[in-house]
Amino acid sequence: PMRDAGERKPQGEHDHNVDAVLRVQASQLHLLAESVAKLATESTLPRLLEQIVEVSRHLTGARYAALGVFDAEGGTRLTSLVTSGMDETTKRAIGHPPTGLGLLGFLAKEDRPVRLKDLTQHPASVGFPPQHPPMTSFLGMSIRAHGRLYGRLYLTDKQGTGADEPAPEFTETDEEVLMVLATQAGAAIENAGLLEEVRTAETKHRLLLESTGEGIYGLDLDGCCTFINKAGADLLGYAPEEVIGRRMHDLIHHTRRDGSPYPADECSIYRAFRTGQRVRLDDEVLWRKDRTWFPVEFCSNPIYRDDRLIGAVATFFDVTERKKAE
């Protein structure tokens, strides 16, 4: 009993170590909460990936961090690698990024978190290329959302608090913190990807709308303009921003050819709203900003979402020359 008591650490030293661990954990949790909130505000995918790598490195105290993005089809081929903690000179000296062989290839097939004291001792390790900095401790984890694999985080070289301490290992707390971050990162990547798809689709649609000589505009159920292409605005003598949000009947279809008022409830163009059917006309006129009119061929098509009428899209073009010829 006396020998055991002599070997046991003093109570004050034990309490001090416990307090230090608790402070580190509290700091990690605080940084995790801040990081998750920051990820939710990042909408561009490249910047989001950089943020995830930076945050994961600081959360776990890793010297190096990387996010491997794998092919969407099989999830086994490394297509790109976002890194943190390695300067540009070292990156250039290493040369090409890894292709997913060796340990990275093994981890590509591993869904569970992987925590290693020394990654070089793993059976799948094939060593580092020339000029690559040495790495020992390792923590790896997949990033998923709704079952889809988006990438894998690789953290190496857990940093200690003093130069005389032995090389530390990643802890169970590091793994738990990284698991929470990976879950939030998966959701953020999914949202950023959806936003990117929306932006791409909007760009394609905008280019398509601007490439035609026909006037095209959208209407909501109140008859207000939701969008208009440049050709349509030019034909009407307006800038696009002067038209968006205004009732189109009051703006361009308020008066008949003979100068008599054209009530909205008698408007043939709005028939698409009332009947949900396509309307095509070739005997209507539209009024320009300068209060002159021109004959148009006009088509109005209803727009549905989930079987519910939400508006219409109208196309028109000037048929002045055709009418003269007739």
Side-chain angles (χ1 to χ4, degrees):
M2 292 298 293
R3 185 169 55 252
D4 291 341
E7 292 174 353
R8 192 176 297 118
K9 289 184 178 181
Q11 182 66 35
E13 182 179 345
H14 174 74
D15 292 344
H16 175 74
N17 290 339
V18 171
D19 289 343
V21 171
L22 291 176
R23 282 197 298 271
V24 170
Q25 291 177 343
S27 176
Q28 280 182 306
L29 292 174
H30 178 70
L31 181 56
L32 175 61
E34 289 184 341
S35 302
V36 167
K38 190 173 182 180
L39 290 182
T41 64
E42 189 59 64
S43 60
T44 61
L45 191 56
R47 181 57 186 154
L48 176 61
L49 298 180
E50 293 175 0
Q51 288 280 357
I52 291 170
V53 176
E54 285 287 332
V55 166
S56 64
R57 185 166 70 90
H58 290 298
L59 274 173
T60 59
R63 175 176 291 177
Y64 305 110
L67 172 57
V69 180
F70 286 77
D71 62 298
E73 291 78 19
T76 57
R77 183 172 58 85
L78 190 66
T79 59
S80 64
L81 195 70
V82 184
T83 63
S84 173
M86 194 175 295
D87 59 68
E88 292 301 321
T89 302
T90 305
K91 290 181 185 178
R92 286 194 296 269
I94 294 172
H96 294 293
T99 57
L101 301 176
L103 183 58
L104 291 190
F106 168 82
L107 293 170
K109 306 179 184 69
E110 187 62 52
D111 246 356
R112 295 171 300 176
V114 177
R115 185 156 45 98
L116 305 171
K117 181 178 181 179
D118 186 352
L119 62 90
T120 63
Q121 300 304 307
H122 193 278
S125 176
V126 294
F128 298 110
Q131 310 302 323
H132 196 289
M135 297 178 178
T136 52
S137 55
F138 177 88
L139 177 59
M141 190 167 301
S142 297
I143 295 179
R144 293 180 177 272
H146 296 107
R148 178 181 172 183
L149 174 67
Y150 287 99
R152 290 179 176 83
L153 276 169
Y154 307 118
L155 305 173
T156 61
D157 277 16
K158 171 82 172 182
Q159 298 298 287
T161 57
D164 297 333
E165 292 184 359
E169 303 174 42
F170 290 102
T171 65
E172 186 175 345
T173 300
D174 292 330
E175 184 177 319
E176 292 172 351
V177 167
L178 193 63
M179 190 175 297
V180 174
L181 178 68
T183 301
Q184 297 301 320
I189 291 173
E190 184 178 50
N191 290 337
L194 292 173
L195 286 173
E196 198 72 29
E197 291 176 7
V198 169
R199 292 191 191 101
T200 301
E202 286 179 343
T203 300
K204 288 181 178 178
H205 292 159
R206 187 163 54 250
L207 291 174
L208 179 63
L209 289 173
E210 300 303 341
S211 67
T212 179
E214 292 184 348
I216 304 175
Y217 63 85
L219 298 168
D220 61 21
L221 291 179
D222 294 322
C224 296
C225 180
T226 56
F227 70 85
I228 187 168
N229 67 341
K230 187 175 185 302
D234 288 344
L235 285 171
L236 296 169
Y238 289 95
E241 57 270 18
E242 294 180 285
V243 179
I244 302 297
R246 299 182 64 177
R247 282 176 57 92
M248 292 302 280
H249 180 84
D250 298 341
L251 189 67
I252 64 172
H253 202 226
H254 46 76
T255 306
R256 292 187 172 90
R257 187 191 308 254
D258 60 7
S260 60
Y262 201 158
D265 57 2
E266 297 177 13
C267 176
S268 300
I269 293 173
Y270 279 9
R271 194 181 306 156
F273 292 108
R274 296 193 296 269
T275 66
Q277 296 177 349
R278 182 172 181 265
V279 174
R280 188 176 186 88
L281 306 164
D282 63 358
D283 59 350
E284 291 286 338
V285 300
L286 297 180
W287 291 80
R288 302 185 183 93
K289 184 178 181 180
D290 64 6
R291 300 182 180 276
T292 61
W293 59 263
F294 61 102
V296 295
E297 185 171 314
F298 191 97
C299 184
S300 179
N301 290 280
I303 300 174
Y304 289 92
R305 178 181 295 161
D306 299 329
D307 298 326
R308 183 172 61 89
L309 184 65
I310 62 170
V313 61
T315 61
F316 66 94
F317 56 91
D318 189 343
V319 293
T320 299
E321 296 304 318
R322 193 180 77 189
K323 291 294 184 181
K324 286 181 180 178
E326 290 174 355

